[in-house]
Structure formats: structure tokens, C-alpha cells
Amino acid sequence: MVDTRRDGKVALVTGVGRTVGIGAGIARRLAAAGWDIAYTYWTPYDERMSWGAEPGAADAIGESLAGRGAAIEADLTDADAPARIFDEAERRLGNVTALVMCHCESVASGLLDTTLASFDRHFAVNARATWLLIREYGRRFSGAHGTGRIIGLTSDHTVGNLPYGASKGALDRIVLAAARELAHLGVSANVINPGPVDTGWMSDEARETFLRQTPLNRLGTPKETANLVDFLCSPQGQWINGQLLMSNGGFV
């Protein structure tokens, strides 16, 4: 494979498997702002979800990045995957400056019907992989002091969504710990809760409920989450650190 590395900023964005997804929106926005983008996807996850896999999505997303992207297929239930992802990102683009984590396992189930296998898979992907990606980032970061960025996407789902909500809560704590533990590197770390963003997973009933609960009477878009990520990754966003940011249109 041709080495596409060039001098500049490199962002690793995880969970970029669908052209309409939040991860893809973030990747496109950062590429437009001058970042080279390593992005991960895992088609078998989409295949078992209600929306199904999107044929050719990884290539289409790459084309939308105007030559600034490097796709990496990765199963984040594998504890060795984060190190391999960073190896590949560094080989193709260079050292990673910003880590933006949009990956998730999300299967709706409650206290009484969640299986052990599902619970463990949610924590492997949403919590353990987040920790391992941040650990790998911290071990390898070589950028100038003050340039590093870590951003995780979270959710406040709880009722009827036990393993997802609980594992996302763990993600919050892991990312926010990095704001302190990686302070010596000059890395800022924040969590974004984007609120209800319809990327094809909502039922008509869920959509109507979310609209009623949002003062602006509309749903969020991937572009709106991407705009906030772009700001946090910019020099102007450096002072925002160790925060859980609600970017949800006032959703309650």
C-alpha cells in the first residue's frame, strides 16, 4: 500500500462505518479543516443491526475526504485491535494528534432481558476499547504540548437500554480521567453528548417522542456534532478540558 503520510495534523476517528453516521460527519468536517483522517469501521456490527450494512460505505467515505483518509477495518471487541489501529494509522498517515471515538455497541435491552454476552460485548467495545485506545494514544503521542485532543461521544440512555447506557457511563469516566492523567502531554480530553441524532436507527414512535422533548422541535444532525468536534480540535478549543458537553438542542 502506498504511504500517504504528509506533514500536518492526523486525527483517528473510530466508528466510521456509514455515510450518514456521526463518525462520517466528523471525519468529513475535520478533513475540510486540514486534518488527515484515519478512520475505523466494522461491517459485521452493521450487518446484525436493524439498519444493516451499507455496501461500499468505507470507500465512499474515503472519497468524500478528498484524498485525506485512510480506512482501517477493526473489531474493537479484540483487545489487540487498538495497538494495530495505531500502527496502521502511523504507517499510512503519521503520528496521531487527535483521537475522536465514535465507535459503539448499541443493542436495546433492559434489566431483565439483557444477556451476559450482550452486556460483556457492550463493555468490551464502549468501555474497554475506549481505555485501550486512550492508553495507546498516551503512550505514542509526540505532538507539541497543547496540541493533543481526545474526544469521546456518549449517551444518557438508561431505561430499556441498560448495557449501552451503563457502558457509555464508563466511557465518560475513562475519557475525563485522561484530562488529568495526560495533562503532562498537554492533551485536552472531553466528552460530547450529541442528544438524539437520527442516522437511520429511530422508529417513527421514537422520532416523535424525541421531537416533543426538544425545545427546537427538531433532531440533531451529524454536522452539528462535527462542528463542535472541529472547534474542540482547533487551537481555540484548547481551554475546554475535562468537560461533558451537552450539544443536544435542549433535549430533556
Side-chain angles (χ1 to χ4, degrees), residues 224-247:
E224 287 164 330
T225 305
N227 288 338
L228 179 53
V229 171
D230 180 34
F231 175 74
L232 291 174
C233 288
S234 73
Q236 291 77 16
Q238 180 188 7
W239 190 236
I240 300 173
N241 189 27
Q243 304 300 310
L244 198 169
L245 304 168
M246 309 298 286
S247 177

Side-chain angles (χ1 to χ4, degrees), residues 6 8-13 26-38 65-69 93 95-100 137 147-149 229-235:
R6 55 190 153 200
K9 304 171 293 184
V10 176
L12 170 58
V13 185
I26 290 171
R28 287 190 289 264
R29 184 69 188 87
L30 290 179
W35 292 78
D36 292 330
I37 311 295
L65 301 181
R68 307 196 75 97
L93 297 177
N95 295 111
V96 173
T97 308
L99 171 62
V100 184
Y137 175 91
T147 61
R149 301 288 189 272
V229 171
D230 180 34
F231 175 74
L232 291 174
C233 288
S234 73

Side-chain angles (χ1 to χ4, degrees), residues 162-227:
L162 167 70
Y164 179 67
S167 56
K168 281 290 190 173
L171 175 150
D172 296 354
R173 303 304 99 183
I174 293 166
V175 174
L176 295 178
R180 294 282 186 175
E181 295 195 24
L182 300 184
H184 64 288
L185 299 175
V187 171
S188 68
N190 295 286
V191 180
I192 296 173
N193 185 334
V197 178
D198 188 2
T199 58
W201 60 271
M202 289 185 190
S203 66
D204 290 341
E205 181 182 1
R207 189 177 297 107
E208 291 175 4
T209 298
F210 293 143
L211 287 173
R212 288 196 302 269
Q213 293 176 310
T214 306
L216 295 175
N217 195 38
R218 69 171 178 84
L219 302 172
T221 68
K223 286 184 178 180
E224 287 164 330
T225 305
N227 288 338

Side-chain angles (χ1 to χ4, degrees), residues 81-142:
R84 290 198 298 267
I85 291 167
F86 271 86
D87 286 344
E88 184 71 2
E90 290 173 355
R91 185 179 71 82
R92 297 173 64 182
L93 297 177
N95 295 111
V96 173
T97 308
L99 171 62
V100 184
M101 294 171 288
C102 308
H103 65 272
C104 76
E105 172 76 13
S106 177
V107 178
S109 60
L111 288 166
L112 301 183
D113 60 340
T114 295
T115 67
L116 287 174
S118 179
F119 188 90
D120 289 346
R121 188 184 303 114
H122 277 80
F123 272 84
V125 174
N126 297 342
R128 186 181 70 188
T130 296
W131 160 52
L132 293 174
L133 285 162
I134 291 175
R135 186 176 73 172
E136 209 65 39
Y137 175 91
R139 288 173 170 175
R140 300 177 187 229
F141 181 76
S142 61

Side-chain angles (χ1 to χ4, degrees), residues 48-94:
R48 62 182 169 82
M49 301 303 288
S50 60
W51 51 79
E54 182 183 352
D59 291 338
I61 292 166
E63 292 173 4
S64 73
L65 301 181
R68 307 196 75 97
I72 303 171
E73 188 170 18
D75 178 4
L76 289 174
T77 64
D78 180 356
D80 294 326
R84 290 198 298 267
I85 291 167
F86 271 86
D87 286 344
E88 184 71 2
E90 290 173 355
R91 185 179 71 82
R92 297 173 64 182
L93 297 177

